[in-house]
Amino acid sequence: MAEMIKAADLAKVSAIDFVESFHEDIRVLQEVLGITRKVEKVPGQVIKTYKVVGTLEDGAVAEGEDIPLSHYKTEVAGVFELTLEKYRKQTTLEAINDKGYKQAVVDTDTKMRRQVQARIRGKFFNFIKTGTGTASGKGLKGALAQTRAELTVLFEDYGVGDSDLIYMVNPYDIADHLEDTELTTQEVFGMRYIEKFLNLYDVLEFSGVPQGKVIATAKDNLILYYTNPANSEVGKAFDFITDETGLIGIHHDTTYRNLTTDTVVVCGLEFYAELIDRVVVGTIASDGAAAAALADFGVPVGPGYPEDKALDDMTIGELKAYAEWNGIDIKGLTKKQDILDAILRADDEPAEGEPADEAAEGQEA
């Protein structure tokens, strides 16, 4: 007689598939990002990001004089703790009876896994865009080139080549360059990886990158930091299925008093850059001072730049950029209506050297 397959057996199989799928996605992402350093959190440990400060002293030293000492040190730029995040969903007997175990439990587990990945991506891009390196270039090609130049200077003593750098861009900024172009692409952790874009740049394309920006660093500057849900201490109290990496844990639990099955997921995992001052945030600029002004106020300056937008429809950032571009003084103004009123008043004033009555006649016409 064939052995009966029970719900618990199906739950274990789906849990193993959940963990292995997550691990494979992370493995591919690590490979793409060139991450070789993984750090497992131990109790009481915190993450520190650093910046290097110091100045090279003058090397022109007279004969017999002491050589001045160049002072360099690594300062802590930020400290944060890794948070173990916990997720749970519940599936009823009725849902399983109606849709079957795979659709009711396994497929919704897959959706849950993808959303956990989205949270990890979101945290990574929120962190990486705080990089303190800056660059600016006209159009995407110019911004990539200037960002590469800045990284070359920052990492010139680290033996870093072009293949060791990773660039991140918004899909809207790269869209126009993908037409009629043969590219090597790969889906990775909910993002698209483009190898050797313009024959030079390894690019991650993701909507989490602010439009009008290029974010880049050396791959070796990125670290995977995680807490293992199956470590010896946690394992004493909880039974999570995980794999050898320990990056994520899952447990299925059936409750008979209300005939439901719970999927519980725990994950503490973050990517971060060890040297935040060697993460460059480049600006994709268009022509002239308008782009510079918009970039200063965080307004996209690539496709969609609102040069023809009505003033009433502009955001506060766009109004500030408009004022900066047109030399309108809005110092001390923070409310949209106040800024708008100041712009309208300035627009109503006659230009320098123009008689007031001629300006008024021009407006009436």
Side-chain angles (χ1 to χ4, degrees), residues 311 322-323 326-330 338-352 354 359 363:
L311 288 171
Y322 180 94
N326 288 281
I328 300 171
D329 183 14
I330 57 168
D338 293 341
I339 296 172
L340 179 59
D341 289 341
I343 291 172
L344 292 175
R345 283 195 303 271
D347 284 348
D348 287 339
E349 293 174 1
E352 187 175 349
E354 180 184 5
Q363 290 171 4

Side-chain angles (χ1 to χ4, degrees), residues 136-321:
S136 180
K138 182 179 176 182
L140 178 60
K141 290 182 181 180
L144 284 169
Q146 292 300 321
T147 300
R148 173 185 174 275
E150 183 67 16
L151 286 174
T152 301
V153 172
L154 290 173
F155 286 103
E156 62 184 355
D157 295 325
Y158 290 77
V160 172
D162 284 321
S163 62
D164 302 313
L165 304 176
I166 185 74
Y167 302 82
M168 292 154 255
V169 301
N170 186 285
Y172 286 110
D173 290 321
I174 200 172
D176 291 341
H177 300 269
L178 302 185
E179 297 178 4
D180 303 320
T181 304
E182 290 188 9
L183 297 169
T184 302
T185 65
Q186 181 179 3
E187 294 298 322
V188 50
F189 211 68
M191 299 173 286
R192 185 160 70 148
Y193 174 64
I194 303 172
E195 188 176 17
K196 294 296 176 282
F197 175 63
L198 300 178
N199 296 318
L200 184 61
Y201 309 102
D202 291 339
V203 173
L204 267 183
E205 178 191 23
F206 182 56
S207 60
V209 179
Q211 191 176 350
K213 298 293 182 182
V214 172
I215 304 175
T217 190
K219 297 175 181 178
D220 196 47
N221 191 28
L222 300 174
I223 297 176
L224 170 61
Y225 188 56
Y226 70 102
T227 182
N228 189 341
N231 70 34
S232 58
E233 294 303 311
V234 174
K236 293 175 183 178
F238 301 100
D239 181 22
F240 287 107
I241 291 178
T242 184
D243 65 356
E244 70 278 4
T245 66
L247 299 178
I248 195 168
I250 183 173
H251 180 76
H252 284 116
D253 188 39
T254 301
T255 304
Y256 280 88
R257 62 183 175 84
N258 59 2
L259 293 178
T260 59
T261 179
D262 282 4
T263 299
V264 179
V265 174
V266 292
C267 179
L269 185 156
E270 290 193 26
F271 295 95
Y272 75 101
E274 184 175 25
L275 299 174
I276 196 66
D277 59 341
R278 281 165 173 74
V279 175
V280 177
V281 181
T283 297
I284 303 171
S286 56
D287 291 327
L294 287 169
D296 287 342
F297 291 107
V299 180
V301 295
Y305 152 57
E307 57 185 340
D308 296 322
K309 204 176 205 180
L311 288 171
D312 287 340
D313 296 330
M314 287 187 180
T315 65
I316 290 179
E318 290 166 355
L319 288 170
K320 287 181 177 180

Side-chain angles (χ1 to χ4, degrees), residues 18-36:
F18 182 103
V19 168
E20 289 183 347
S21 296
F22 185 89
H23 169 235
E24 177 61 15
D25 289 342
I26 286 287
R27 184 196 66 77
V28 174
L29 180 61
Q30 284 181 251
E31 185 177 294
V32 164
L33 293 177
I35 295 176
T36 58

